[in-house]
Amino acid sequence: MKYSIMIGVPTTGNPSSYYWYAVLARYMGEASSIAESATNFVRDYSIATARERIAKDAVRRRVDFVLFIDDDIIPTVNPITNFLSYAYPVMCGVYFEKNMKGLNLHVKRGRKYVRLKPGELSNRLFSVDACGLGLAMIHASIFETLIKENKQMFTYTVRKGEDIHFFEVLNKELGIKPLVIPNIKAYHVIKAPFVITPEGKHEMMAFI
């Protein structure tokens, strides 16, 4: 059995690095025995709107999973094969956010969302309340259910990004929280050749 995967890339412009294209193409090739993958670049001034369009397109095309990968995220391992080895409905990888406040993994403490630090990252699978969608795989049936319930899935506000909004809707409507796959890590490109490592360090990657 092969999975059908839509690789959704919400973007406001060109990818941060041409190396990003090469890495993605290599991962798609490596996963070809278990997944039929196709990219869907959606350019919009609003990343939230782009994600909404990708999700609705995935339902229309009847794919199995959507792999959200931002154009400034470079995974250190193949996210397609690694996510599919678990095939949980909502999964996310790990990267350090550009605001340097912590990882893309959010836990709710009281009324606030707190980002986990690299030292708090478990080696085992674990759930969080929300995660940045720069590297995440979601089963298309999740989107289909929310669309049928006429829910706005991705909305950006100053206080909450579109990712936090999505996971609040997901938890309220379906009682699902994202599962963190800790071995799926990624570099976050600041401006080529400079990146932030999953540990939150600035490095220069000359080959990008």
Side-chain angles (χ1 to χ4, degrees):
M1 172 188 172
K2 275 192 177 184
Y3 292 99
S4 58
I5 310 296
M6 175 182 288
I7 301 177
V9 186
T11 180
T12 57
N14 296 319
S16 302
S17 160
Y18 287 109
Y19 177 70
W20 179 90
Y21 283 107
V23 171
L24 184 59
R26 174 164 58 86
Y27 287 153
M28 290 172 68
E30 291 174 352
S32 61
S33 63
I34 62 169
E36 295 179 354
S37 306
T39 54
N40 185 8
F41 288 82
V42 175
R43 182 173 296 184
D44 197 287
Y45 72 94
S46 165
I47 293 297
T49 301
R51 291 199 195 284
E52 191 88 14
R53 288 168 57 189
I54 290 168
K56 290 179 177 178
D57 199 26
V59 172
R60 183 180 62 82
R61 296 189 192 184
R62 298 186 178 278
V63 301
D64 294 315
F65 283 95
V66 172
L67 171 61
F68 278 120
I69 181 167
D70 288 357
D71 57 12
D72 58 356
I73 294 294
I74 300 178
T76 60
V77 298
N78 191 319
I80 302 172
T81 56
N82 279 272
F83 276 133
L84 289 180
S85 67
Y86 299 98
Y88 186 77
V90 184
M91 303 170 283
C92 56
V94 181
Y95 57 88
F96 209 88
E97 295 190 339
K98 284 184 178 178
N99 58 21
M100 299 306 293
K101 293 182 178 180
L103 297 171
N104 63 312
L105 310 175
H106 304 258
V107 293
K108 199 169 185 180
R109 293 175 182 163
R111 299 179 64 182
K112 293 184 178 180
Y113 286 92
V114 179
R115 296 172 179 83
L116 294 185
K117 305 298 183 184
E120 299 175 282
L121 186 64
S122 172
N123 290 325
R124 298 181 178 180
L125 306 182
F126 64 99
S127 296
V128 289
D129 293 299
C131 64
L133 289 168
L135 183 58
M137 183 175 279
I138 302 172
H139 200 277
S141 63
I142 297 291
F143 301 130
E144 184 175 19
T145 300
L146 295 177
I147 290 169
K148 285 180 179 178
E149 295 180 5
N150 201 30
K151 299 298 180 182
Q152 180 74 24
M153 294 178 284
F154 301 96
T155 300
Y156 177 84
T157 66
V158 175
R159 293 182 62 190
K160 297 178 183 177
E162 82 284 350
D163 40 17
I164 297 289
H165 177 268
F166 171 74
F167 287 109
E168 286 185 339
V169 171
L170 181 66
N171 189 39
K172 180 180 179 181
E173 299 299 326
L174 302 179
I176 295 175
K177 293 185 178 183
L179 183 70
V180 180
I181 314 298
N183 68 302
I184 305 178
K185 296 183 174 69
Y187 293 103
H188 206 161
V189 180
I190 305 170
K191 185 176 181 181
F194 299 101
V195 301
I196 306 171
T197 70
E199 296 73 34
K201 298 178 181 180
H202 286 80
E203 287 188 1
M204 184 176 72
M205 299 174 67
F207 50 85
I208 72 168

